[in-house]
Amino acid sequence: MTVNIRPILRLFFKTLLGIFSICFVLFIFLAIALQAGLFWLNTENGGKWLSNHIETAMKDQPYQIKLNHFTLAGLFGVRARTIQLQDQEGTFLEAHNFAFRINPIPLLVNNLSVRLQSQELTLLRTPISNTTNDTENNTPPLSIALPDDFF
């Protein structure tokens, strides 16, 4: 009695090829969805939505962030044409061609790897802080923390 293994191998490879094809199609749809989302962020409604989220995240800080013209930077990043940081007296920091990239591999071990890159960073003046430097508590005048916000 002989067993013909050729049909079994053919079925296995067709199944494997089908799985890879489905993954590839899903990857293409994900890339298109990311581009569509970034295109929407460039519209007036998308800009208002993002501004509201940024203002909500920064409501406890005396600074405001203004971003415009978003594009996809690689597979896991976003690029903004200009970013402006403002306080009560106006803009004090501008960044042009600012890129924010997340490396997904360290996320598998619960680490976050972020890469920030800017073509030009201009500090127009020093920012004004509303807080006073308390010598008893040794608290710094500005505390920077990542907000617990989901975009």
Side-chain angles (χ1 to χ4, degrees):
M1 179 172 170
T2 61
V3 176
N4 192 358
I5 198 163
R6 180 171 267 168
I8 296 172
L9 284 176
R10 189 173 293 167
L11 179 64
F12 173 75
F13 286 122
K14 283 184 178 182
T15 305
L16 191 63
L17 183 62
I19 290 171
F20 283 137
S21 299
I22 290 171
C23 289
F24 182 71
V25 168
L26 289 176
F27 178 76
I28 295 295
F29 281 135
L30 179 66
I32 290 171
L34 282 173
Q35 284 290 13
L38 290 172
F39 178 74
W40 178 74
L41 283 176
N42 286 326
T43 64
E44 186 175 337
N45 290 334
K48 286 179 185 177
W49 179 82
L50 186 63
S51 294
N52 289 337
H53 272 52
I54 290 173
E55 287 173 6
T56 302
M58 297 291 290
K59 68 180 174 185
D60 295 335
Q61 298 292 330
Y63 305 108
Q64 295 177 350
I65 299 175
K66 291 196 176 185
L67 309 159
N68 71 1
H69 193 74
F70 294 97
T71 56
L72 189 63
L75 295 176
F76 301 103
V78 176
R79 182 179 301 276
R81 184 174 289 164
T82 59
I83 293 180
Q84 295 178 340
L85 294 177
Q86 299 177 343
D87 57 9
Q88 296 86 4
E89 292 190 10
T91 304
F92 66 89
L93 180 72
E94 289 183 352
H96 298 280
N97 292 330
F98 184 80
F100 177 83
R101 291 187 178 94
I102 296 176
N103 188 356
I105 302 301
L107 288 175
L108 297 174
V109 291
N110 294 331
N111 288 328
L112 180 64
S113 174
V114 177
R115 180 177 171 199
L116 302 173
Q117 181 180 4
S118 180
Q119 181 180 1
E120 182 181 337
L121 187 66
T122 306
L123 181 63
L124 302 172
R125 61 179 172 78
T126 56
I128 297 172
S129 177
N130 289 339
T131 59
T132 59
N133 195 1
D134 190 4
T135 56
E136 293 176 6
N137 295 334
N138 291 329
T139 57
L142 173 65
S143 63
I144 298 175
L146 292 175
D148 187 17
D149 201 1
F150 178 74
F151 291 101

